[in-house]
Structures are given as structure tokens and as C-alpha cells.
Amino acid sequence: METDIILLGYDLVLNRMDMKGTKIDSDTFPYPDHPSSSEQSHYNLVDTSPVASTEKQPQKACLSLIDTSTISWQFSTSPPSTFILMGIPGLEPAHVWISIPFATFYIIGLVGNFMLLFVVGKEQTLHKPMYLLLCMLALIEIGTSTSVVPKALCIFWFNLKGITVGGCLTQMFFLHAGSMMHSAVLVTMAFDCYVAICNPLRYTTILINTRIAELGPVGLLRSLFFIMPLPLLLSRLPFCADHVIPHTYCDHMAVAKMSCGDITVNRTYGLVTAFVVMGLDLMLIALSYSLIIRAVPRISSKTAYQKALNTCTAHLSVMLMSYTAGLFSTLIHRFGQGIAPHVHIILANLYFLIPPMLNPIIYGVKNKELRDKVGKYTSRMCSHWATDFKSV
């Protein structure tokens, strides 16, 4: 009975619009299917002509029913309960193959960073500012990559694309906050390198372990101050119907672009934050290394010169990887309309895969002291496993 009333009211509205010469298209009313002529003859149980005064009241009731049901359904802006992460649009058939390098890079990164944390924690001789900074970098990279890669692998392997709104905003916060803390650690590492090479006699008084340990809370507060507005700005936006995110994780701009509201504030704040914070960090790093490059040729000892060169090369390699991928992803979201979406998404994911995998390798190769300690513990574990295997 309720369906008959709705269809009758739908016919009445169409007849009235038709008599007024109004053009009717399929999007005028969001009813699933327009009734056919035979169905209209079935449902038109009363005369729809506006002549008889006794029929005006039923027509008003039918129009009121349509206004309160179908129109409110079309323009509802209630907040969604879940978002859908699509993975890499356009490459869905290759998701399983793409997952192989993703999982490989992620596992190598986890093993390398946990090995670094284990060796530095065990060896008292490595309890120095530079190695404490490396441990901070390893912890941040483990956190950021773990917040992205497992969910991406669930999409690739099991087609588990749903994520709650709270989970999406939480993931977005940790990703961007981790990236900002990562940048703060890189700035401190550049300053550490500058003091060690340009003012070696004052190194033990300027950079001490307790001062380095205070960097963690300071970097966290800076990240909270700049990143916390991002989920707050997103929470005020209306999301009409499309809750699909064409990405493997909840990036700020990827979520904002789903909104049917004005996202100018989100675009501006994200861009200003990226350029002010990352730009300032890059300026400080560039200043430190310009002073280092001027000081390195004046080092008389060949051993000290080689050590300084290896340290600076490792730092620069890590910074180039991190900042290049991060800034590229930020700019593509705003100015890269001509770039294929799957290219952008793959490059954005590599930012959370390549640096965590290569950083322990770079520092392990370039730093002789760390390399020797890692080799010692590796050979010890291998011999222990060999003994256990023989006993079995």
C-alpha cells in the first residue's frame, strides 16, 4: 500500500510538471525505476487532472510524502560510518603481484630496524648521541610503515577494503605526525654531524645523551601542534555519497577530495604546513651541510677525513630519499592532475617502504663501528642456530 501511494504521488508530480512544460530527466527524482506505461495504468487508480477540488487533498499528501522521503535521501550529508580504500585503482588485477615487493620491503625494513635497536641497546659503547638518533629514526620508521603496509596487504590479498572513520583519521594522524617527527630527527642528525666535524672539542658538552632524549617529547609536541588540525578540519566536512578513497591508506588530501563541501582551507593548511615545517627543516639541514663541506677539506688527519666523509654521505643519502619522496607526494596531490593516479599512489607508498628498508643498510655500511657490532651479533646468532640445528 505504501509503495502504491509513493508511485501515485510520483505520477502526479510528473503530470503537473509535464503540463507546465517542465523538462523531465532521469535525475529529477531519485526513484530507482520510472514505471512503464503498463505499470502506470495499474497504479493510476484516480484521475490526476487538477479539476476536482476533492482531489487536491490526496495530491498534497502524496507530494508531501515524496518530499520527505526521496529528496532527503538524495541530499543527505550525514557522516559516513566507514570508508572504502580501493588500493591502486587501475591495477586491481595486479594487486597480488604488487604485494610481493611491498611485503618484501616491509619485512627487510622491520628486520633491519629491529636489529639496529637490538645492537645499540646491547652495546654500551654505542650509547652515544648519533646512535640514539638512529634508534629514534628506526622507531619512527617502524611505526609509520606498520600503519600503512599491513592494511595495504590486506587490500591486496584479502580484498578487505573497509576502514572506519575513526580508524582512517587515526591512521592519517600517525602518518603525518610520524613524517614530521622523522624530519625533526634528520635536522638533529645534521646538527650532530656539524658539531662533530666543525667543533669536535665541544661535542661532548653540546650534545649529551640526556639532551638528545629530550628531543623526543619536543618533536612530538611539534607534530601535535601542526598535525592535530588536519583530522579536525576533515571532521567538519560533509560527505554526501561517495565514501571510496582511491588509495591504499588515508592520506589527508585523498580523504578531503571525497567531500562535497569546500576544501580550500584543507588544501591551504596542508600546503602551508608542508612548506613551512619541511621548508624550515630543509634550510637548517642545508645550512649545516654547507658549513660541513667548508670544514671537511681542512681536516688534516686522513682517518678523520674519511670518517667525516662517510658520515656525511650516509646522512645525505637518507635525507635525499626521505624529503624527495615526501615532497613529491605532497605536490602531486595538489598540482599533479596530469599524472596517472596509480603512479602517484605507488610513489606515495614507496615513501613508507624504501627509507625504512635502506636506512639501516646505509648506516650499517658507512659506519664501521656499527658494522662491526652488527657483524659480531649476527655471527653469534648464526653459530647459536647452527649448534641448535646439529643437536636436533
Side-chain angles (χ1 to χ4, degrees):
M1 183 63 184
E2 184 178 347
T3 305
D4 293 348
I5 295 174
I6 293 174
L7 288 172
L8 176 59
Y10 185 84
D11 290 340
L12 290 171
V13 175
L14 292 180
N15 289 335
R16 284 191 173 188
M17 294 177 70
D18 200 24
M19 285 188 293
K20 292 180 181 179
T22 305
K23 183 180 178 181
I24 302 171
D25 54 42
S26 61
D27 294 327
T28 303
F29 296 97
Y31 199 77
D33 295 301
H34 292 284
S36 62
S37 57
S38 61
E39 290 171 331
Q40 287 180 4
S41 63
H42 173 73
Y43 289 116
N44 285 340
L45 302 177
V46 285
D47 185 12
T48 59
S49 62
V51 178
S53 60
T54 57
E55 296 173 356
K56 290 181 181 180
Q57 189 65 28
Q59 291 175 4
K60 288 181 181 178
C62 294
L63 290 175
S64 172
L65 180 59
I66 292 175
D67 289 341
T68 57
S69 61
T70 58
I71 295 177
S72 63
W73 171 41
Q74 185 179 14
F75 298 105
S76 174
T77 57
S78 59
S81 59
T82 58
F83 290 136
I84 304 298
L85 292 169
M86 291 302 296
I88 305 177
L91 297 179
E92 287 87 354
H95 272 178
V96 175
W97 297 105
I98 294 172
S99 69
I100 296 174
F102 269 56
T104 304
F105 294 166
Y106 176 62
I107 292 171
I108 293 173
L110 286 182
V111 172
N113 283 295
F114 276 118
M115 175 65 77
L116 176 65
L117 292 171
F118 174 77
V119 172
V120 173
K122 281 285 187 180
E123 285 291 331
Q124 292 291 329
T125 57
L126 297 181
H127 291 182
K128 300 175 183 178
M130 184 179 71
Y131 298 108
L132 294 180
L133 289 171
L134 287 178
C135 289
M136 286 185 182
L137 201 66
L139 286 172
I140 293 170
E141 289 174 344
I142 290 171
T144 52
S145 62
T146 301
S147 62
V148 171
V149 181
K151 179 59 181 176
L153 293 177
C154 286
I155 296 171
F156 296 155
W157 289 342
F158 311 112
N159 204 34
L160 299 175
K161 299 180 177 181
I163 184 170
T164 63
V165 174
C168 185
L169 296 180
T170 302
Q171 185 191 53
M172 183 197 70
F173 172 77
F174 278 107
L175 290 181
H176 293 291
S179 299
M180 192 166 288
M181 291 182 67
H182 191 275
S183 181
V185 174
L186 292 179
V187 172
T188 311
M189 291 174 72
F191 180 70
D192 172 82
C193 191
Y194 161 74
V195 175
I197 293 173
C198 299
N199 294 291
L201 297 178
R202 298 182 58 193
Y203 181 83
T204 54
T205 58
I206 296 175
L207 289 169
I208 56 178
N209 290 346
T210 54
R211 195 165 292 171
I212 294 298
E214 293 171 358
L215 171 70
V218 172
L220 181 60
L221 287 175
R222 186 181 81 148
S223 299
L224 286 173
F225 179 77
F226 284 102
I227 302 301
M228 186 57 74
L230 294 181
L232 297 178
L233 289 172
L234 284 176
S235 63
R236 71 175 181 84
L237 292 175
F239 294 93
C240 294
D242 188 9
H243 302 157
V244 177
I245 305 174
H247 217 299
T248 56
Y249 60 88
C250 291
D251 184 77
H252 171 239
M253 285 309 302
V255 178
K257 286 179 180 178
M258 293 193 307
S259 173
C260 54
D262 185 13
I263 62 170
T264 304
V265 176
N266 297 72
R267 286 180 179 273
T268 305
Y269 184 80
L271 197 61
V272 169
T273 300
F275 276 97
V276 169
V277 177
M278 301 297 181
L280 178 62
D281 290 350
L282 281 172
M283 286 176 57
L284 293 174
I285 290 171
L287 176 62
S288 297
Y289 278 98
S290 63
L291 297 173
I292 290 170
I293 290 171
R294 288 178 55 189
V296 165
R298 296 198 294 266
I299 298 176
S300 56
S301 171
K302 186 175 180 180
T303 304
Y305 175 84
Q306 191 63 38
K307 183 179 179 181
L309 194 63
N310 287 337
T311 304
C312 291
T313 304
H315 284 339
L316 284 173
S317 301
V318 170
M319 290 171 191
L320 284 174
M321 280 192 306
S322 301
Y323 283 111
T324 303
L327 288 175
F328 183 81
S329 178
T330 301
L331 293 174
I332 288 298
H333 257 309
R334 292 158 178 86
F335 309 111
Q337 287 79 11
I339 297 179
H342 64 270
V343 174
H344 169 221
I345 293 170
I346 290 174
L347 291 175
N349 279 274
L350 290 179
Y351 172 69
F352 298 104
L353 289 169
I354 301 298
M357 178 185 69
L358 292 183
N359 286 353
I361 297 173
I362 291 172
Y363 286 113
V365 170
K366 290 293 183 180
N367 190 295
K368 185 178 183 303
E369 187 177 14
L370 181 60
R371 184 172 66 246
D372 292 342
K373 299 299 182 184
V374 170
K376 183 183 78 172
Y377 279 98
T378 304
S379 60
R380 186 180 299 176
M381 284 189 293
C382 289
S383 62
H384 180 70
W385 291 339
T387 304
D388 291 344
F389 180 76
K390 288 178 180 180
S391 62
V392 174

